[in-house]
Amino acid sequence: MERISPAFSVTPAPGGIVQPLKATARSVESPAEAVRLSQRLACECLARLEGPGINPVLRLFKLDESTQSHVRRLLERLVEVPQGGTAQWLADWRSGRGFLDTLSCAYLEALRTRAPDGVAKTAVHAELLARLIRAGANLLKWDYLRYGPVENELWVFMGAAYLEAERTGMSNMLVSLRKDRGTQTSVEREFIRAVALGCASLDQLSPDSIEIADRLVRYVLPALRISTQPSSGACFGLQVGLPASPSRVAAGLTSREFQRYFLPAAVGGVFDELASVIERGLVPAAIATGPRARERVLATLFHLRRLWSDTPPMRRYRRHALSARFGSICGLENLSACLVGDAPLWSERAEWMLCNVSRGGVGLLVPVEDGSRVRIGELVGLRMEDGVAWQVGVIRRIAQAAEGPAFVGVELIARDPTVVLADDGRVASEVLLCDPIRQGRTVRLAGSADALPVNGIVYLNLDGRILKLKPIALMVRGNDFVLRNYQLL
């Protein structure tokens, strides 16, 4: 369970290290500052772990517990304003991840210096293993908040902690990680949560949906299992203790490569029951609150159900390797202005590189500075270098690399769209016409939610002709835009 030491360390202060953080952080204004303070205190705890006794470990537990409220506040701020490219967003993200990284290093050091004699086969040992895995799972989630790179070494120490708990018979020992609450957990539960997050394709979700996915995982955790055999419902194989994330496996297939299997099949009934409640407008506050909570939770729930079904998600169209340069522009307003000739390209040097193409979308390699700015669900316009026609798509996947360009997967929704005026009887607004007008055929419009109301008739002014459109279905709700299908009346 070797782990890289944190980026900085401090000299331990004399006397006790961890005072109650509420008292220590009274003068701290932001959660990011409080978390950075906690990271420094965690480094002091890490230095003190070289000494004997169990008290340094208990002080580390107390620091972990008292910092979580600040970590949650920081996380709420990050998902509310998912501007991954801004300096402030990145600084806040690094603060949270830095604390979690230092915390995991401290827990690993506590295990190294105190096992097998110091805290082995005790409740403190079980709590230490559970806290280590929880810190690793939280690091996994924080890595996905900015779409990687995800550190595969997390699976090494989380798997080693899980195997250690199994070996010592403590995997299901109940421990309390929050002394002010009555809830309890175990090493088994914490490891299942980490595995579920690793099997949730978080790189396809927006930051707020990543948090909702984690809360849904916690909600259905009693229905999730790990098995040594690929029994019915086993969808993913685990190489426990190795630097490898869970892999999708065919139903019932046994492989020497995997030591454990993730079985999410039993969550189907739980998801069905939860969906029926949410569809009536009753969204549990523990899962999501605020505008569009119902829609966001149902979309994330459907995402998990699709991934965890017995039948793995299949690509509708075959991908083909292809190389080309593209110019790009992101956002509905910017794209509309560009299409009518009022705005320049976001990337005038056409540095977005095509790497594969299918009938339904494209995969692109994007420069680091652009990769940190794009978001899941964002509308993007693409134009081939020296080309004329625009293609419009929705960003569906982002994968940041440790070095070099990021990968961005785009679902194409229109080829050669045009900007038209849509009038809902109140005001005329610019929208994108994604399909040619043909009698008896449906057409798709992309625009702001205000410009394209749910049940409202829309009138298009197209080259002097007035066309009447009736909404049929919402096809996509993205960042600051909707894509609706209409019937031509």
Side-chain angles (χ1 to χ4, degrees):
M1 291 189 288
E2 183 179 355
R3 182 106 171 106
I4 298 172
S5 298
F8 66 88
S9 60
V10 297
T11 303
I17 294 174
V18 185
Q19 304 171 13
L21 192 60
K22 292 180 180 178
T24 307
R26 281 174 183 168
S27 60
V28 175
E29 296 181 357
S30 74
E33 292 176 14
V35 170
R36 284 192 287 270
L37 171 61
S38 295
Q39 184 179 4
R40 289 193 292 272
L41 293 174
C43 284
E44 293 186 21
C45 284
L46 182 58
R48 286 294 183 103
L49 287 170
E50 293 293 340
I54 201 173
N55 286 336
V57 178
L58 298 179
R59 286 196 290 268
L60 185 60
F61 288 175
K62 187 173 181 63
L63 174 64
D64 183 1
E65 185 176 338
S66 57
T67 306
Q68 289 309 311
S69 62
H70 300 288
V71 173
R72 285 193 299 274
R73 287 172 54 209
L74 184 58
L75 179 62
E76 289 170 2
R77 190 160 76 180
L78 291 174
V79 300
E80 286 173 2
V81 188
Q83 302 293 335
T86 65
Q88 185 59 56
W89 193 98
L90 288 173
D92 288 347
W93 176 85
R94 289 190 180 105
S95 296
R97 197 194 186 283
F99 168 73
L100 294 170
D101 189 49
T102 305
L103 189 67
S104 66
C105 289
Y107 284 146
L108 282 166
E109 181 67 10
L111 285 170
R112 185 186 70 82
T113 56
R114 281 154 178 79
D117 301 321
V119 296
K121 298 184 181 180
T122 67
V124 174
H125 191 194
E127 184 173 346
L128 183 55
L129 292 170
R131 287 184 180 274
L132 173 60
I133 295 176
R134 176 171 288 192
N138 287 336
L139 277 169
L140 186 71
K141 181 171 73 172
W142 278 73
D143 281 345
Y144 275 114
L145 285 177
R146 68 182 300 254
Y147 305 109
V150 177
E151 188 180 348
N152 276 335
E153 289 300 317
L154 299 176
W155 294 105
V156 175
F157 74 76
M158 287 192 295
Y162 174 71
L163 293 176
E164 170 69 9
E166 274 198 339
R167 184 184 67 81
T168 55
M170 295 188 298
S171 58
N172 289 303
M173 181 183 293
L174 294 179
V175 294
S176 177
L177 305 189
R178 295 286 303 274
K179 308 307 180 187
D180 58 338
R181 296 184 180 180
T183 56
Q184 292 182 308
T185 187
S186 66
V187 172
E188 177 93 2
R189 291 179 187 176
E190 294 299 324
F191 188 66
I192 290 176
R193 177 208 167 207
V195 170
L197 291 177
C199 299
S201 292
L202 299 181
D203 58 349
Q204 299 177 20
L205 298 176
S206 60
D208 63 328
S209 296
I210 290 175
E211 177 62 11
I212 290 174
D214 186 20
R215 295 181 182 185
L216 284 171
V217 166
R218 293 172 187 267
Y219 185 87
V220 301
L221 201 56
L224 300 174
R225 291 194 303 115
I226 289 178
S227 171
T228 57
Q229 299 295 327
S231 54
S232 176
C235 295
F236 294 85
L238 312 176
Q239 300 179 66
V240 182
L242 297 179
S245 57
S247 301
R248 183 81 198 202
V249 296
L253 180 64
T254 304
S255 172
R256 293 181 179 179
E257 182 182 4
F258 305 118
Q259 298 84 40
R260 300 290 188 280
Y261 295 87
F262 177 54
L263 286 73
V267 303
V270 182
F271 276 157
D272 287 342
E273 182 180 352
L274 179 60
S276 67
V277 172
I278 294 174
E279 285 170 351
R280 296 197 299 269
L282 304 175
V283 182
I287 297 177
T289 58
R292 294 179 50 224
R294 172 181 175 274
E295 180 181 321
R296 289 156 50 219
V297 174
L298 286 175
T300 308
L301 190 151
F302 174 78
H303 170 83
L304 294 178
R305 285 209 62 169
R306 180 176 62 89
L307 290 172
W308 295 350
S309 66
D310 289 337
T311 304
M314 302 293 292
R315 291 189 178 276
R316 290 180 295 172
Y317 309 109
R318 179 177 297 179
R319 290 186 297 181
H320 304 277
L322 196 63
S323 178
R325 290 180 179 271
F326 276 85
S328 61
I329 190 164
C330 287
L332 175 64
E333 185 176 343
N334 294 334
L335 179 57
S336 297
C338 187
L339 287 175
V340 297
D342 292 340
L345 284 174
W346 181 19
S347 175
E348 294 183 352
R349 293 171 295 176
E351 289 183 342
W352 287 32
M353 293 295 300
L354 180 70
C355 58
N356 64 67
V357 62
S358 72
R359 183 180 172 186
V362 294
L364 302 132
L365 296 178
V366 176
V368 174
E369 58 272 20
D370 287 353
S372 63
R373 291 187 292 175
V374 296
R375 295 183 292 164
I376 296 291
E378 191 163 27
L379 199 68
V380 59
L382 300 170
R383 186 170 68 183
M384 191 174 295
E385 187 179 31
D386 300 326
V388 176
W390 280 91
Q391 300 180 74
V392 176
V394 184
I395 295 175
R396 293 302 191 189
R397 182 183 174 219
I398 302 172
Q400 300 274 11
E403 296 181 357
F407 175 84
V408 174
V410 177
E411 176 190 5
L412 295 177
I413 62 172
R415 304 175 191 273
D416 200 14
T418 56
V419 178
V420 297
L421 286 178
D423 193 333
D424 64 351
R426 299 172 301 167
V427 64
S429 305
E430 287 187 344
V431 300
L432 298 183
L433 177 62
C434 299
D435 304 297
I437 298 293
R438 294 173 183 169
Q439 195 65 36
R441 301 288 294 272
T442 61
V443 295
R444 295 167 301 152
L445 299 179
S448 68
D450 291 336
L452 302 175
V454 177
N455 298 313
I457 297 292
V458 171
Y459 296 89
L460 290 189
N461 186 338
L462 186 65
D463 299 328
R465 292 186 300 159
I466 303 300
L467 305 176
K468 185 178 181 180
L469 303 179
K470 176 184 177 181
I472 299 175
L474 173 68
M475 304 186 73
V476 176
R477 183 182 289 276
N479 297 339
D480 305 323
F481 83 96
V482 294
L483 178 69
R484 295 191 186 278
N485 201 20
Y486 288 84
Q487 178 183 0
L488 181 62
L489 299 179

